[in-house]
Amino acid sequence: MARHSPKIAFAGLGAMGYGMAAHLVKSGFPVTGFDVYQPALDRFLKEGNGASAAKTPKEAVRDVDFFICMVANSVQATPLFFDGGMGAVGALKENATVIMCSTVAPAYIDEIQSRSKKVGRPDIRLIDSPVSGGAGRAADGTLSIFASGAKDDVEHARAVLQCMSGKLYEIPGGLGGGSKAKLIHQIFAGIHIAMANEAMGLAAVAGMDTREVFERLRGSEACSWMFENRVPPMLDAGLGRYSAMTIIAKDVGIITQTSRTHKFPLPLLSTAEQLYLSALTNGWGAEDDCVLVRLYLPPSQADLVATQSGHPSKSSTKESSRPIHNVTWETIRDIMIAVHIAAVTEAMGFCEYLGIDVALMYDIVSNAAGNSRVFEQSFKRMGKKGWRVDGLEEAEQIVQRLVSAI
Protein backbone atom coordinates (compact mmCIF):
# COMPACT_ATOMS: atom_id res chain seq x y z
CA MET A 1 0.00 0.00 0.00
CA ALA A 2 1.17 3.51 -0.78
CA ARG A 3 2.72 5.57 2.02
CA HIS A 4 -0.25 7.93 2.18
CA SER A 5 -3.24 5.61 1.91
CA PRO A 6 -6.70 7.15 1.58
CA LYS A 7 -8.74 7.39 4.75
CA ILE A 8 -11.76 5.10 5.06
CA ALA A 9 -14.86 5.07 7.24
CA PHE A 10 -16.53 1.69 7.59
CA ALA A 11 -20.08 1.20 8.91
CA GLY A 12 -21.39 -2.25 9.84
CA LEU A 13 -18.94 -4.39 11.81
CA GLY A 14 -20.92 -7.62 11.68
CA ALA A 15 -19.55 -11.04 10.74
CA MET A 16 -18.52 -10.01 7.23
CA GLY A 17 -18.11 -6.29 7.79
CA TYR A 18 -15.67 -6.75 10.63
CA GLY A 19 -13.46 -9.01 8.52
CA MET A 20 -13.51 -6.52 5.64
CA ALA A 21 -12.63 -3.57 7.87
CA ALA A 22 -9.90 -5.47 9.72
CA HIS A 23 -8.36 -6.61 6.44
CA LEU A 24 -8.25 -3.03 5.19
CA VAL A 25 -6.39 -2.02 8.36
CA LYS A 26 -3.93 -4.90 7.98
CA SER A 27 -3.37 -3.78 4.38
CA GLY A 28 -2.30 -0.31 5.48
CA PHE A 29 -5.50 1.74 5.19
CA PRO A 30 -6.47 3.97 8.13
CA VAL A 31 -10.05 2.92 8.95
CA THR A 32 -12.59 4.51 11.29
CA GLY A 33 -15.23 2.00 12.27
CA PHE A 34 -18.84 2.64 13.21
CA ASP A 35 -21.40 0.19 14.57
CA VAL A 36 -24.37 0.51 16.91
CA TYR A 37 -23.02 -2.49 18.85
CA GLN A 38 -20.31 -1.19 21.18
CA PRO A 39 -18.52 -4.55 21.69
CA ALA A 40 -17.88 -4.65 17.93
CA LEU A 41 -16.20 -1.24 18.11
CA ASP A 42 -14.17 -2.26 21.17
CA ARG A 43 -12.96 -5.34 19.32
CA PHE A 44 -12.10 -3.33 16.22
CA LEU A 45 -9.91 -0.94 18.21
CA LYS A 46 -7.73 -3.92 19.13
CA GLU A 47 -6.75 -4.29 15.46
CA GLY A 48 -3.95 -1.84 16.27
CA ASN A 49 -2.48 1.09 14.37
CA GLY A 50 -4.81 2.33 11.70
CA ALA A 51 -8.02 1.31 13.47
CA SER A 52 -10.16 3.91 15.19
CA ALA A 53 -13.82 4.16 16.20
CA ALA A 54 -16.56 6.77 16.06
CA LYS A 55 -19.78 7.19 18.01
CA THR A 56 -21.84 8.44 15.04
CA PRO A 57 -21.76 8.14 11.24
CA LYS A 58 -21.20 11.89 11.05
CA GLU A 59 -18.11 11.62 13.22
CA ALA A 60 -16.85 8.55 11.34
CA VAL A 61 -16.81 10.19 7.91
CA ARG A 62 -15.07 13.41 8.89
CA ASP A 63 -12.20 13.99 6.44
CA VAL A 64 -12.35 10.48 4.90
CA ASP A 65 -11.95 9.72 1.21
CA PHE A 66 -14.14 6.61 1.18
CA PHE A 67 -17.20 5.59 3.17
CA ILE A 68 -17.99 1.87 3.01
CA CYS A 69 -21.47 0.76 4.06
CA MET A 70 -21.88 -2.88 5.11
CA VAL A 71 -24.96 -2.72 7.34
CA ALA A 72 -27.60 -5.46 7.18
CA ASN A 73 -30.26 -3.79 5.03
CA SER A 74 -31.72 -0.57 3.66
CA VAL A 75 -33.69 0.04 6.87
CA GLN A 76 -30.38 0.42 8.70
CA ALA A 77 -28.70 2.26 5.85
CA THR A 78 -31.21 5.11 5.50
CA PRO A 79 -30.58 6.78 8.89
CA LEU A 80 -26.88 5.99 8.54
CA PHE A 81 -26.80 8.16 5.43
CA PHE A 82 -29.52 10.72 5.97
CA ASP A 83 -30.26 11.23 9.67
CA GLY A 84 -30.45 15.00 10.05
CA GLY A 85 -28.24 15.19 13.11
CA MET A 86 -25.88 12.23 12.80
CA GLY A 87 -26.07 11.03 9.17
CA ALA A 88 -22.99 10.61 7.01
CA VAL A 89 -24.01 12.28 3.74
CA GLY A 90 -24.05 15.83 5.05
CA ALA A 91 -20.66 15.41 6.73
CA LEU A 92 -18.68 13.83 3.89
CA LYS A 93 -16.02 16.03 2.36
CA GLU A 94 -16.42 17.22 -1.23
CA ASN A 95 -16.13 14.47 -3.88
CA ALA A 96 -15.86 11.70 -1.29
CA THR A 97 -16.84 8.19 -2.43
CA VAL A 98 -19.57 6.02 -0.95
CA ILE A 99 -19.08 2.28 -1.56
CA MET A 100 -22.38 0.50 -0.91
CA CYS A 101 -21.49 -3.12 -0.10
CA SER A 102 -24.76 -4.10 1.59
CA THR A 103 -27.16 -6.31 -0.38
CA VAL A 104 -30.14 -4.07 -1.19
CA ALA A 105 -32.70 -3.72 -3.95
CA PRO A 106 -31.36 -2.03 -7.10
CA ALA A 107 -34.01 0.66 -6.64
CA TYR A 108 -32.50 1.60 -3.29
CA ILE A 109 -29.20 2.48 -4.96
CA ASP A 110 -31.09 5.01 -7.09
CA GLU A 111 -32.74 6.33 -3.93
CA ILE A 112 -29.38 6.98 -2.26
CA GLN A 113 -28.24 8.96 -5.28
CA SER A 114 -31.43 10.99 -5.63
CA ARG A 115 -31.66 11.79 -1.91
CA SER A 116 -28.01 12.84 -1.83
CA LYS A 117 -28.71 15.32 -4.61
CA LYS A 118 -31.81 16.61 -2.83
CA VAL A 119 -29.81 17.44 0.31
CA GLY A 120 -27.25 19.33 -1.76
CA ARG A 121 -24.61 16.64 -2.23
CA PRO A 122 -24.50 15.88 -5.98
CA ASP A 123 -20.69 15.80 -5.69
CA ILE A 124 -20.65 12.48 -3.80
CA ARG A 125 -19.37 9.57 -5.86
CA LEU A 126 -21.51 6.45 -5.42
CA ILE A 127 -20.49 2.88 -6.22
CA ASP A 128 -23.01 0.03 -6.07
CA SER A 129 -20.77 -2.77 -4.83
CA PRO A 130 -22.44 -5.76 -3.11
CA VAL A 131 -20.19 -8.60 -1.97
CA SER A 132 -20.34 -12.37 -1.67
CA GLY A 133 -18.18 -14.98 0.02
CA GLY A 134 -18.80 -15.15 3.75
CA ALA A 135 -16.88 -14.09 6.84
CA GLY A 136 -13.76 -16.16 6.11
CA ARG A 137 -13.17 -14.65 2.69
CA ALA A 138 -14.01 -11.20 4.04
CA ALA A 139 -11.18 -11.49 6.54
CA ASP A 140 -8.80 -12.77 3.85
CA GLY A 141 -9.68 -10.05 1.34
CA THR A 142 -10.87 -12.61 -1.20
CA LEU A 143 -14.54 -11.70 -1.59
CA SER A 144 -16.37 -11.61 -4.90
CA ILE A 145 -17.37 -7.97 -5.46
CA PHE A 146 -19.88 -6.77 -8.05
CA ALA A 147 -19.05 -3.13 -8.69
CA SER A 148 -21.09 -0.74 -10.83
CA GLY A 149 -21.34 2.99 -11.27
CA ALA A 150 -19.63 5.69 -13.27
CA LYS A 151 -16.46 4.28 -14.86
CA ASP A 152 -14.27 7.03 -13.41
CA ASP A 153 -15.71 6.47 -9.92
CA VAL A 154 -15.02 2.73 -10.02
CA GLU A 155 -11.50 3.41 -11.23
CA HIS A 156 -11.00 5.95 -8.44
CA ALA A 157 -11.95 3.29 -5.86
CA ARG A 158 -10.09 0.41 -7.51
CA ALA A 159 -7.35 0.08 -4.88
CA VAL A 160 -9.90 -0.20 -2.09
CA LEU A 161 -12.13 -2.62 -3.99
CA GLN A 162 -9.21 -4.82 -5.02
CA CYS A 163 -7.94 -4.94 -1.46
CA MET A 164 -11.22 -6.52 -0.33
CA SER A 165 -11.70 -8.85 -3.30
CA GLY A 166 -10.39 -12.03 -4.79
CA LYS A 167 -12.59 -11.43 -7.83
CA LEU A 168 -13.65 -7.92 -8.75
CA TYR A 169 -16.44 -7.93 -11.32
CA GLU A 170 -17.19 -4.63 -13.03
CA ILE A 171 -20.85 -4.79 -13.99
CA PRO A 172 -21.86 -2.60 -16.96
CA GLY A 173 -25.03 -0.57 -17.06
CA GLY A 174 -24.36 2.05 -14.41
CA LEU A 175 -25.63 2.23 -10.84
CA GLY A 176 -27.80 -0.73 -9.82
CA GLY A 177 -25.98 -3.18 -12.07
CA GLY A 178 -23.98 -4.64 -9.19
CA SER A 179 -27.09 -5.17 -7.07
CA LYS A 180 -28.90 -6.81 -9.98
CA ALA A 181 -26.03 -9.23 -10.52
CA LYS A 182 -25.91 -10.07 -6.81
CA LEU A 183 -29.67 -10.74 -6.79
CA ILE A 184 -29.41 -13.15 -9.73
CA HIS A 185 -26.66 -15.05 -7.95
CA GLN A 186 -28.78 -15.19 -4.80
CA ILE A 187 -31.67 -16.78 -6.70
CA PHE A 188 -29.42 -19.80 -7.14
CA ALA A 189 -28.22 -19.61 -3.55
CA GLY A 190 -31.73 -19.32 -2.11
CA ILE A 191 -33.07 -22.26 -4.08
CA HIS A 192 -30.02 -24.46 -3.53
CA ILE A 193 -29.96 -23.95 0.24
CA ALA A 194 -33.61 -24.94 0.49
CA MET A 195 -33.03 -27.93 -1.78
CA ALA A 196 -30.07 -29.16 0.29
CA ASN A 197 -32.19 -29.06 3.44
CA GLU A 198 -35.13 -30.80 1.78
CA ALA A 199 -32.93 -33.52 0.31
CA MET A 200 -31.37 -34.45 3.63
CA GLY A 201 -34.68 -34.21 5.44
CA LEU A 202 -36.20 -36.66 2.98
CA ALA A 203 -33.22 -39.02 3.31
CA ALA A 204 -33.56 -38.98 7.10
CA VAL A 205 -37.31 -39.63 7.32
CA ALA A 206 -36.95 -42.33 4.66
CA GLY A 207 -34.64 -44.16 7.05
CA MET A 208 -31.46 -43.87 5.00
CA ASP A 209 -27.86 -43.59 6.12
CA THR A 210 -27.65 -39.82 5.72
CA ARG A 211 -23.86 -39.72 5.43
CA GLU A 212 -23.90 -42.30 2.66
CA VAL A 213 -26.62 -40.34 0.86
CA PHE A 214 -24.58 -37.16 1.18
CA GLU A 215 -21.47 -38.82 -0.25
CA ARG A 216 -23.40 -40.31 -3.15
CA LEU A 217 -25.19 -37.06 -3.98
CA ARG A 218 -22.12 -34.85 -3.83
CA GLY A 219 -20.41 -37.22 -6.25
CA SER A 220 -23.35 -37.04 -8.67
CA GLU A 221 -24.61 -34.52 -11.21
CA ALA A 222 -27.08 -33.32 -8.55
CA CYS A 223 -24.40 -31.64 -6.46
CA SER A 224 -24.28 -27.90 -5.82
CA TRP A 225 -21.81 -25.70 -3.96
CA MET A 226 -24.45 -25.07 -1.28
CA PHE A 227 -25.14 -28.80 -0.87
CA GLU A 228 -21.47 -29.55 -0.22
CA ASN A 229 -21.19 -26.57 2.13
CA ARG A 230 -24.43 -26.79 4.12
CA VAL A 231 -24.91 -30.52 4.67
CA PRO A 232 -21.80 -31.31 6.80
CA PRO A 233 -23.13 -29.25 9.78
CA MET A 234 -26.39 -31.24 9.56
CA LEU A 235 -24.37 -34.44 9.90
CA ASP A 236 -22.11 -33.03 12.62
CA ALA A 237 -23.38 -30.07 14.65
CA GLY A 238 -19.88 -29.56 16.04
CA LEU A 239 -18.70 -28.12 12.72
CA GLY A 240 -20.23 -24.74 13.58
CA ARG A 241 -22.21 -22.26 11.54
CA TYR A 242 -21.81 -20.67 8.13
CA SER A 243 -24.58 -18.11 7.66
CA ALA A 244 -27.58 -17.04 9.74
CA MET A 245 -31.08 -17.78 8.47
CA THR A 246 -31.90 -14.07 8.56
CA ILE A 247 -29.32 -13.36 5.84
CA ILE A 248 -30.68 -15.64 3.11
CA ALA A 249 -34.26 -14.80 4.14
CA LYS A 250 -33.48 -11.10 3.72
CA ASP A 251 -31.80 -11.58 0.34
CA VAL A 252 -34.62 -13.75 -1.00
CA GLY A 253 -37.17 -11.19 0.18
CA ILE A 254 -35.37 -8.45 -1.76
CA ILE A 255 -35.38 -10.60 -4.90
CA THR A 256 -39.07 -11.50 -4.75
CA GLN A 257 -39.96 -7.88 -4.05
CA THR A 258 -37.89 -6.78 -7.05
CA SER A 259 -39.44 -9.45 -9.27
CA ARG A 260 -42.94 -8.31 -8.31
CA THR A 261 -42.01 -4.73 -9.19
CA HIS A 262 -41.01 -5.97 -12.64
CA LYS A 263 -43.99 -8.39 -12.81
CA PHE A 264 -41.57 -11.26 -13.44
CA PRO A 265 -42.61 -14.61 -11.91
CA LEU A 266 -40.16 -16.57 -9.75
CA PRO A 267 -42.35 -19.45 -8.50
CA LEU A 268 -39.57 -21.71 -7.23
CA LEU A 269 -37.79 -18.96 -5.31
CA SER A 270 -41.12 -17.76 -3.92
CA THR A 271 -41.71 -21.27 -2.55
CA ALA A 272 -38.26 -21.24 -0.96
CA GLU A 273 -39.09 -17.86 0.58
CA GLN A 274 -42.06 -19.37 2.38
CA LEU A 275 -39.76 -22.00 3.89
CA TYR A 276 -37.41 -19.29 5.16
CA LEU A 277 -40.32 -17.35 6.61
CA SER A 278 -41.47 -20.50 8.39
CA ALA A 279 -38.01 -20.83 9.90
CA LEU A 280 -38.10 -17.23 11.10
CA THR A 281 -41.57 -17.78 12.58
CA ASN A 282 -40.14 -20.72 14.53
CA GLY A 283 -37.50 -18.44 16.02
CA TRP A 284 -34.53 -19.85 14.08
CA GLY A 285 -33.39 -16.56 12.54
CA ALA A 286 -30.06 -16.37 14.38
CA GLU A 287 -29.22 -20.02 13.67
CA ASP A 288 -27.39 -21.38 10.65
CA ASP A 289 -29.59 -21.71 7.57
CA CYS A 290 -29.01 -25.48 7.56
CA VAL A 291 -31.53 -25.71 10.42
CA LEU A 292 -34.20 -25.37 7.74
CA VAL A 293 -34.04 -29.18 7.61
CA ARG A 294 -36.05 -29.24 10.85
CA LEU A 295 -39.16 -28.31 8.87
CA TYR A 296 -39.01 -31.79 7.32
CA LEU A 297 -38.37 -33.73 10.54
CA PRO A 298 -40.57 -34.77 13.48
CA PRO A 299 -40.39 -32.13 16.25
CA SER A 300 -38.87 -34.58 18.75
CA GLN A 301 -36.20 -35.68 16.26
CA ALA A 302 -34.68 -32.39 15.11
CA ASP A 303 -31.26 -34.07 14.98
CA LEU A 304 -32.40 -37.03 12.87
CA VAL A 305 -30.01 -36.25 10.02
CA ALA A 306 -27.09 -36.43 12.45
CA THR A 307 -28.29 -39.52 14.35
CA GLN A 308 -28.72 -41.45 11.09
CA SER A 309 -25.28 -40.51 9.85
CA GLY A 310 -23.75 -43.96 9.43
CA HIS A 311 -26.76 -45.58 11.10
CA PRO A 312 -29.74 -46.18 8.79
CA SER A 313 -33.04 -47.12 10.42
CA LYS A 314 -35.47 -49.79 9.31
CA SER A 315 -38.46 -47.46 9.49
CA SER A 316 -38.82 -43.81 8.71
CA THR A 317 -39.12 -42.26 12.20
CA LYS A 318 -40.12 -43.16 15.73
CA GLU A 319 -43.23 -41.02 15.39
CA SER A 320 -44.53 -42.68 12.24
CA SER A 321 -45.42 -46.27 11.50
CA ARG A 322 -45.52 -45.48 7.78
CA PRO A 323 -42.08 -45.69 6.20
CA ILE A 324 -41.55 -43.83 2.96
CA HIS A 325 -41.45 -46.58 0.36
CA ASN A 326 -39.64 -46.45 -2.99
CA VAL A 327 -37.45 -43.50 -1.99
CA THR A 328 -33.82 -44.14 -2.88
CA TRP A 329 -30.84 -41.87 -3.10
CA GLU A 330 -31.43 -41.87 -6.86
CA THR A 331 -34.92 -40.49 -6.26
CA ILE A 332 -33.45 -37.64 -4.24
CA ARG A 333 -30.81 -37.10 -6.93
CA ASP A 334 -33.50 -36.72 -9.57
CA ILE A 335 -35.46 -34.26 -7.41
CA MET A 336 -32.34 -32.15 -6.92
CA ILE A 337 -31.48 -32.16 -10.62
CA ALA A 338 -35.03 -31.14 -11.52
CA VAL A 339 -34.96 -28.27 -9.03
CA HIS A 340 -31.54 -27.12 -10.22
CA ILE A 341 -32.76 -27.09 -13.82
CA ALA A 342 -35.75 -25.00 -12.78
CA ALA A 343 -33.39 -22.66 -10.91
CA VAL A 344 -31.43 -22.03 -14.11
CA THR A 345 -34.69 -21.25 -15.92
CA GLU A 346 -35.83 -18.75 -13.30
CA ALA A 347 -32.52 -17.05 -12.57
CA MET A 348 -31.22 -16.71 -16.11
CA GLY A 349 -34.60 -15.72 -17.46
CA PHE A 350 -34.70 -12.87 -14.92
CA CYS A 351 -31.06 -12.10 -15.70
CA GLU A 352 -31.85 -11.50 -19.36
CA TYR A 353 -34.97 -9.53 -18.45
CA LEU A 354 -32.89 -7.17 -16.28
CA GLY A 355 -30.38 -6.70 -19.09
CA ILE A 356 -27.39 -8.36 -17.42
CA ASP A 357 -24.82 -9.94 -19.70
CA VAL A 358 -25.42 -13.70 -19.45
CA ALA A 359 -21.79 -14.62 -20.18
CA LEU A 360 -20.64 -12.41 -17.31
CA MET A 361 -23.30 -14.00 -15.10
CA TYR A 362 -22.01 -17.45 -15.97
CA ASP A 363 -18.54 -16.41 -14.86
CA ILE A 364 -19.92 -15.02 -11.60
CA VAL A 365 -22.11 -18.00 -10.70
CA SER A 366 -19.69 -20.72 -11.78
CA ASN A 367 -17.01 -19.24 -9.50
CA ALA A 368 -19.25 -18.62 -6.50
CA ALA A 369 -21.64 -20.22 -4.02
CA GLY A 370 -24.53 -20.33 -6.51
CA ASN A 371 -22.82 -22.91 -8.69
CA SER A 372 -24.07 -26.42 -9.42
CA ARG A 373 -23.13 -29.17 -11.84
CA VAL A 374 -26.47 -28.73 -13.57
CA PHE A 375 -25.67 -25.05 -14.11
CA GLU A 376 -22.28 -25.83 -15.64
CA GLN A 377 -23.57 -28.67 -17.82
CA SER A 378 -26.83 -27.18 -19.07
CA PHE A 379 -26.08 -23.44 -19.28
CA LYS A 380 -25.23 -23.24 -22.98
CA ARG A 381 -27.97 -25.62 -24.13
CA MET A 382 -30.67 -23.93 -22.06
CA GLY A 383 -29.51 -20.51 -23.20
CA LYS A 384 -30.07 -21.52 -26.83
CA LYS A 385 -33.64 -22.47 -25.89
CA GLY A 386 -34.36 -19.14 -24.19
CA TRP A 387 -33.86 -20.79 -20.78
CA ARG A 388 -36.80 -23.11 -21.34
CA VAL A 389 -36.72 -26.81 -20.50
CA ASP A 390 -38.78 -27.85 -23.53
CA GLY A 391 -36.87 -30.53 -25.38
CA LEU A 392 -34.17 -30.79 -22.73
CA GLU A 393 -33.60 -34.52 -22.79
CA GLU A 394 -32.41 -34.97 -19.22
CA ALA A 395 -35.40 -33.01 -17.90
CA GLU A 396 -37.85 -35.25 -19.72
CA GLN A 397 -36.10 -38.38 -18.43
CA ILE A 398 -36.15 -37.12 -14.85
CA VAL A 399 -39.86 -36.30 -15.05
CA GLN A 400 -40.57 -39.84 -16.22
CA ARG A 401 -38.53 -41.35 -13.38
CA LEU A 402 -40.13 -39.14 -10.73
CA VAL A 403 -43.63 -39.91 -11.99
CA SER A 404 -42.83 -43.61 -11.69
CA ALA A 405 -41.45 -43.11 -8.16
CA ILE A 406 -44.54 -41.23 -7.06
Side-chain angles (χ1 to χ4, degrees), residues 112 150 153 156 162 179 207 243 246-247 258 266 276 282 330:
I112 295 173
D153 294 347
H156 176 69
Q162 286 183 331
S179 288
S243 183
T246 50
I247 296 175
T258 302
L266 298 174
Y276 296 129
N282 283 318
E330 291 94 343

Side-chain angles (χ1 to χ4, degrees), residues 187-197 224 226 340 343 369-372:
I187 294 176
F188 289 107
I191 292 173
H192 292 173
I193 290 172
M195 184 68 259
N197 281 274
S224 69
M226 286 297 185
H340 293 169
N371 195 23
S372 70

Side-chain angles (χ1 to χ4, degrees), residues 79-330:
L80 181 80
F81 287 126
F82 300 109
D83 181 278
M86 297 184 295
V89 167
L92 283 164
K93 70 180 185 181
E94 188 174 3
N95 296 319
T97 301
V98 171
I99 302 177
M100 186 62 176
C101 291
S102 304
T103 300
V104 296
Y108 186 70
I109 300 298
D110 294 333
E111 181 180 332
I112 295 173
Q113 185 179 51
S114 62
R115 288 190 65 172
S116 296
K117 291 178 179 179
K118 285 181 181 178
V119 297
R121 295 307 308 270
D123 59 292
I124 292 175
R125 305 171 187 242
L126 177 60
I127 300 174
D128 173 26
S129 187
V131 303
S132 179
R137 288 174 59 188
D140 293 339
T142 57
L143 291 168
S144 293
I145 296 183
F146 316 113
S148 64
K151 186 175 181 179
D152 289 346
D153 294 347
V154 174
E155 186 61 36
H156 176 69
R158 184 172 298 279
V160 177
L161 294 170
Q162 286 183 331
C163 180
M164 298 187 292
S165 65
K167 275 189 169 289
L168 175 59
Y169 295 99
E170 296 180 47
I171 312 298
L175 283 174
S179 288
K180 290 176 182 177
K182 174 68 184 289
L183 294 192
I184 297 302
H185 176 270
Q186 291 304 91
I187 294 176
F188 289 107
I191 292 173
H192 292 173
I193 290 172
M195 184 68 259
N197 281 274
E198 184 172 327
M200 296 311 297
L202 177 56
V205 298
M208 300 180 189
D209 179 337
T210 50
R211 185 169 296 278
E212 180 183 355
V213 170
F214 170 62
E215 295 296 344
R216 286 179 177 271
L217 289 173
R218 76 170 177 173
S220 76
E221 61 268 41
C223 191
S224 69
W225 190 97
M226 286 297 185
F227 183 78
E228 284 195 286
N229 184 262
R230 295 308 201 261
V231 174
M234 300 182 205
L235 299 170
D236 181 2
L239 292 178
R241 55 183 284 172
Y242 287 99
S243 183
M245 183 70 68
T246 50
I247 296 175
I248 191 61
K250 181 261 295 184
D251 288 0
V252 168
I254 292 172
I255 301 166
T256 55
Q257 180 185 20
T258 302
S259 72
R260 284 192 293 272
T261 299
H262 289 279
K263 296 182 174 58
F264 192 97
L266 298 174
L268 194 58
L269 187 70
S270 296
T271 300
E273 181 182 26
Q274 296 306 308
L275 298 175
Y276 296 129
L277 291 175
S278 296
L280 297 181
T281 300
N282 283 318
W284 304 339
E287 298 187 61
D288 190 273
D289 53 36
C290 71
V291 302
L292 192 70
V293 72
R294 295 176 190 167
L295 293 177
Y296 301 96
L297 305 175
S300 65
Q301 294 179 274
D303 61 347
L304 190 62
V305 175
T307 58
Q308 287 192 187
S309 175
H311 305 285
S313 63
K314 294 182 180 180
S315 62
S316 56
T317 72
K318 295 178 181 178
E319 297 186 3
S320 172
S321 60
R322 298 179 58 196
I324 299 179
H325 297 288
N326 301 323
V327 174
T328 65
W329 81 267
E330 291 94 343

Side-chain angles (χ1 to χ4, degrees), residues 314-385:
K314 294 182 180 180
S315 62
S316 56
T317 72
K318 295 178 181 178
E319 297 186 3
S320 172
S321 60
R322 298 179 58 196
I324 299 179
H325 297 288
N326 301 323
V327 174
T328 65
W329 81 267
E330 291 94 343
T331 307
I332 300 174
R333 176 201 62 197
D334 287 346
I335 294 171
M336 291 177 67
I337 293 173
V339 168
H340 293 169
I341 289 173
V344 175
T345 295
E346 283 196 14
M348 296 311 301
F350 198 30
C351 177
E352 279 201 343
Y353 178 87
L354 293 176
I356 303 171
D357 181 78
V358 295
L360 175 60
M361 203 67 231
Y362 177 83
D363 187 29
I364 290 172
V365 175
S366 62
N367 286 288
N371 195 23
S372 70
R373 290 185 186 146
V374 165
F375 178 78
E376 292 181 343
Q377 294 169 4
S378 65
F379 180 87
K380 289 183 179 179
R381 287 179 293 129
M382 291 183 69
K384 292 178 181 178
K385 296 176 179 292

